[in-house]
Structures are given as structure tokens and as C-alpha cells.
Amino acid sequence: MAMDRYVITGKQRLEGSIRVSGAKNSSLPLLAASLLGEGTSSLLEIPRLADITHMIEVLERLGCKVERQNEAMLINASGIESCEVDEALMRQMRASNLILGPLLARYGRVKISRPGGCAIGSRPMDQHIKGLQLLGVKVKEKHGYIEAWTDHLQGADVYLDVPSVGATENIMMAAVLAKGTSVIRNAAREPEIVDLQNYLNKMGAKVRGAGMDVIRIDGVDTLYPAEHTVIPDRIEAGTHMIAAVMTKGDVVIENVVPEHLEPVIAKLRQAGATISIVDDSIRVQQRAALRGVDLKTMPYPGFPTDMQPQFMAMLASADGTSIITETIFENRFQHVDELRRMGAQITVEGRTAIIRGVKSLEGAFVEATDLRAGAALFLAALAAEEATVLEKVDYIDRGYENLEEKYSGLGAKLVRVSKKADLETT
């Protein structure tokens, strides 16, 4: 598959303001939750990203009508014709498994293939399946397919062995139409879970406790369409903050919820950034030298694994030695080899990376291996001496909307080269 590349000229100081798009990791469960309402729901601030396009294809394949009208995404779920999603669609994206809960709640059956979509480590479905079984779902797995059905969902007490975000969301969406009360213990606490709760409650559900480790759901008979605005993308916001720091810039990041970024703000301040918060915007300035810091990824509200690669890119040219411990995903150091090509001094031992700061990174030919690794290399290129060619930027498109436009507006020098253009000129 031919993918585009960026050519980025480094050492340009970024200045100005940049607006954060709606959160991808919130939009996907919200789109899935729209299956629960009879009629047309309206979601605002859904970003234009490849993963969102895939999710819309999944909903359309089931029989939903989905259209964008100005700022709103309208989802009409009254004409569901199928409860089965084919393998080709499922393979493109992990989050397509989020249709399990809503379809079981509304139609009592679903058949999907095991999802694909990510190179950073295994994300097993066992917690999803265990939770749904406790609600009264029968599950049959064979030939790479998961088939699930139920006569009626019954409220249950579900304890998650690990606070899985996807499992928490799937069980919430199934439980809203179950008979009786369900409790999810050791639930994931991410802001995206709170966003889902708020949307479900607007649809008539009775969910409380999202953001804590115990969520209670009183089942109702029916849910209705609703209108909801997606929360801003905290990982995108964090990425822009690091870009300001790495280019010794002065950038105002608009449309953020500062509380969602507390661990990131704390670590950036520790590294020497000047950060001021006004309402829903954050101003990041970098005047001092960048200092090394140690960090350990943890489930929310700890330091997010989705920010680890970007921080590594920043720490590669910070003073002193930094240590990063990755506790969430086992393959989340794929960006290390590429950063080394740019002159970074990083050693990896198991789940720990030791980063010895160099004076400056150098431009090189590098390639993205996954979404956040791509973001890390993009940041490294902005700060590097001379030019960098970053291959496979389609990975970055999975999580960042209008990146070229947003960064050109801050003074970055970058061009996107389409592979199609290459083929036509040769």
C-alpha cells in the first residue's frame, strides 16, 4: 500500500494559536452508542480521521444512515438490517469491537470477526467477553469470529481484572438496556468514559460514577436520540504542547480541558516549560534549557501511554538522562530505532528506556510504525537540524486532523508528498 510522506525542515520556532479537534477515542464509542437510540442522534466536533471513516462504514454496513451536516454528524439508527460486520472492515480498526455492547442491548445478537488495527501490543477481548457473559450473553468463538446472542440482558456485578477502556465502554453500553442494576468495578477512569456516560444519560440512560473506579447502571426500557458535543482530544493537545517546548516556541492551545492533561502539564513543567492556563486554553512557552525527567505510564489519571513516544522525542535532546517505564503496552518502543537514526541515544531494557540527551537531533529518513510513534517522529523532525523525510504518515492521519494546516499556521515548514504524485512523475 502506497503511503504519503512529510518533508519537514526543522528548527523553526512555533508561535501562534492552534485549536484541538474532538477526541478520537471519545468519538468512536459515541458513534457506537448511537446504535442504541431509535431515530437520529447528532454528534458535534467529530474529527475527520481515517478511524472515524472506518467506524462510519461499520455503522452503514449495519444499516445506519450517517451524514455530516456542517458541524454535526447525524446518525439514524432506526433501520438496522444486519448485526454482522465482515472481516475486512473489522481488521482495519480495533475500536469496531465497540458495536458488541450496543447491538446486544438493542437486538440481542451480533457477529464480528476478531478486530485488528494496532501494532503496539496485544489488546485482548477477554474482559469484554467476560463482562457481557455476566450480563447473560452467550458467546461462541471459532474461526476468528465472535458470535454473541442473548434472550434478555440481566443486570450484574462485573469486576474487571484490568481497567480496560474498551471493556468498560462495551459493558456500559450493554447494561443501559438490561433489566435491573449493573455495577462495573475496577472500571477505566478515562475522560472518554465520562463523555460516554454523559451522552448515554442524554439518551435516557441511568449511569453514574464514570471517572471513578465503580460505575452503576440502572437499566431502562428504551433510549432516545440525543445531541452531544465530543470532548477535546487530550492526546492531540499534549502533542501540541510538546511541539511548543521542542521548538522553544510560544503557542496557545485552544479547546482543551486542562484537568484531562494534569500529568502531562506536571511533567512538562518539571522539564522546564512555562505553562499558563486560562479557561479552556493552555499557553506553553519554552525559555529555559530542557531538563530530563523520569516517567512511568499508568492507566488514567496516571501518565498516558499515548503520550509516551512524544515525550521520548522531547527528552532525546533534554539535558541529562531520563528514564521512561512503559507499563501498558509491551511493543510501545517501536519509535526508538527511528529516533536513533536522528541521533538520539536511547537504550531499551525490557519495558524501560534510558534516554541520554544529545545537543540536537539531526534530520534523517524515518518512518512511522504506528500512530503515536508517527507523532513522536513528527515532533523530532520539527526540532531537528536540517530536513527530515517522514514516511508512512497515513498512520498519523489516524489520530490527528489537518496536521499540515494547523502546523503551517504556527510557522512550521512542511510539505506532504503524495505517493500518487511520485508514481505519476516516474
Side-chain angles (χ1 to χ4, degrees):
M1 183 169 92
M3 285 195 183
D4 293 1
R5 60 166 72 128
Y6 279 139
V7 181
I8 301 166
T9 308
K11 290 275 181 261
Q12 308 294 317
R13 184 171 184 265
L14 299 184
E15 272 186 280
S17 67
I18 189 167
R19 189 178 187 281
V20 175
S21 301
K24 176 189 89 146
N25 289 341
S26 215
S27 298
L28 296 167
L30 294 176
L31 285 165
S34 301
L35 290 166
L36 291 161
E38 282 276 0
T40 304
S41 286
S42 167
L43 292 172
L44 303 166
E45 297 271 356
I46 297 270
R48 294 173 190 273
L49 298 171
D51 278 6
I52 300 289
T53 309
H54 289 319
M55 191 58 142
I56 290 168
E57 278 177 41
V58 168
L59 295 180
E60 288 176 335
R61 192 66 57 88
L62 297 170
C64 288
K65 291 191 169 49
V66 185
E67 58 169 330
R68 268 193 196 268
Q69 269 190 5
N70 306 325
E71 296 307 299
M73 178 83 79
L74 304 178
I75 305 106
N76 182 341
S78 31
I80 301 285
E81 292 141 14
S82 158
C83 287
E84 196 170 319
V85 180
D86 67 16
E87 195 174 358
L89 268 179
M90 289 297 296
R91 278 197 179 285
Q92 291 175 328
M93 185 185 62
R94 290 260 2 145
S96 39
N97 64 19
L98 290 169
I99 63 170
L100 274 175
L103 285 179
L104 284 164
R106 217 177 129 191
Y107 298 99
R109 60 192 176 83
V110 59
K111 182 180 177 186
I112 61 170
S113 79
R114 279 195 160 276
C118 210
I120 55 177
S122 67
R123 303 189 184 182
M125 292 275 303
D126 56 345
Q127 299 293 310
H128 300 245
I129 291 168
K130 184 186 86 169
L132 293 169
Q133 283 173 328
L134 286 167
L135 293 171
V137 175
K138 295 182 177 57
V139 180
K140 190 167 70 180
E141 290 185 74
K142 59 176 188 187
H143 311 310
Y145 275 88
I146 297 172
E147 206 167 336
W149 67 98
T150 180
D151 293 331
H152 69 280
L153 292 170
Q154 186 66 46
D157 204 305
V158 179
Y159 174 82
L160 296 177
D161 298 333
V162 288
S164 152
V165 175
T168 302
E169 291 167 342
N170 246 331
I171 297 160
M172 274 170 80
M173 291 188 282
V176 287
L177 291 176
K179 291 266 178 286
T181 300
S182 299
V183 181
I184 307 173
R185 301 183 193 279
N186 197 26
R189 298 170 57 183
E190 272 71 1
E192 293 77 14
I193 307 273
V194 180
D195 208 25
L196 177 60
Q197 167 181 282
N198 293 342
Y199 181 48
L200 290 170
N201 287 347
K202 284 181 186 173
M203 297 173 82
K206 292 182 175 164
V207 186
R208 59 192 189 280
M212 317 287 243
D213 58 359
V214 178
I215 299 175
R216 288 177 194 280
I217 303 133
D218 292 322
V220 296
D221 292 337
T222 344
L223 292 184
Y224 306 94
E227 183 179 294
H228 183 74
T229 303
V230 183
I231 55 171
D233 196 305
R234 61 198 168 95
I235 306 301
E236 184 197 334
T239 304
H240 301 329
M241 291 170 75
I242 293 177
V245 170
M246 288 180 71
T247 60
K248 300 196 166 32
D250 182 351
V251 177
V252 175
I253 297 132
E254 296 168 348
N255 190 35
V256 289
V257 180
E259 291 74 14
H260 295 170
L261 286 155
E262 279 167 2
V264 173
I265 292 169
K267 282 292 167 192
L268 285 175
R269 281 181 172 149
Q270 202 183 325
T274 304
I275 296 174
S276 38
I277 298 167
V278 180
D279 300 330
D280 64 351
S281 66
I282 296 178
R283 182 179 183 185
V284 182
Q285 296 161 284
Q286 184 65 29
R287 305 190 193 96
L290 198 55
R291 295 188 292 273
V293 294
D294 295 347
L295 62 93
K296 181 178 185 176
T297 63
M298 296 292 277
Y300 192 87
F303 189 90
T305 176
D306 277 356
M307 286 301 306
Q308 178 263 104
Q310 300 90 310
F311 254 76
M312 188 181 288
M314 177 186 87
L315 295 171
S317 56
D319 289 345
T321 299
S322 306
I323 297 172
I324 292 181
T325 309
E326 172 59 63
T327 72
I328 310 285
F329 290 122
E330 65 270 25
N331 298 340
R332 196 134 220 192
F333 285 144
Q334 299 186 18
H335 42 287
V336 169
D337 288 342
E338 301 299 304
L339 286 170
R340 282 190 192 130
R341 296 170 77 139
M342 299 179 74
Q345 292 190 359
I346 305 169
T347 6
V348 174
E349 291 170 21
R351 291 192 167 212
T352 303
I354 298 154
I355 303 133
R356 291 175 184 80
V358 296
K359 198 169 177 326
S360 184
L361 294 171
E362 296 145 21
F365 276 82
V366 290
E367 70 174 48
T369 50
D370 61 71
L371 163 56
R372 305 303 171 187
L377 295 169
F378 177 81
L379 293 171
L382 291 174
E385 302 278 357
E386 299 173 347
T388 296
V389 176
L390 173 50
E391 301 276 4
K392 298 195 174 170
V393 299
D394 303 54
Y395 279 116
I396 302 176
D397 296 342
R398 289 185 56 181
Y400 296 90
E401 183 179 46
N402 298 335
L403 206 58
E404 303 98 284
E405 286 168 47
K406 287 184 179 183
Y407 275 80
S408 300
L410 294 176
K413 285 193 175 169
L414 71 157
V415 283
R416 183 169 179 136
V417 183
S418 149
K419 275 288 198 257
K420 294 186 192 74
D422 287 5
L423 296 171
E424 283 158 14
T425 53
T426 50

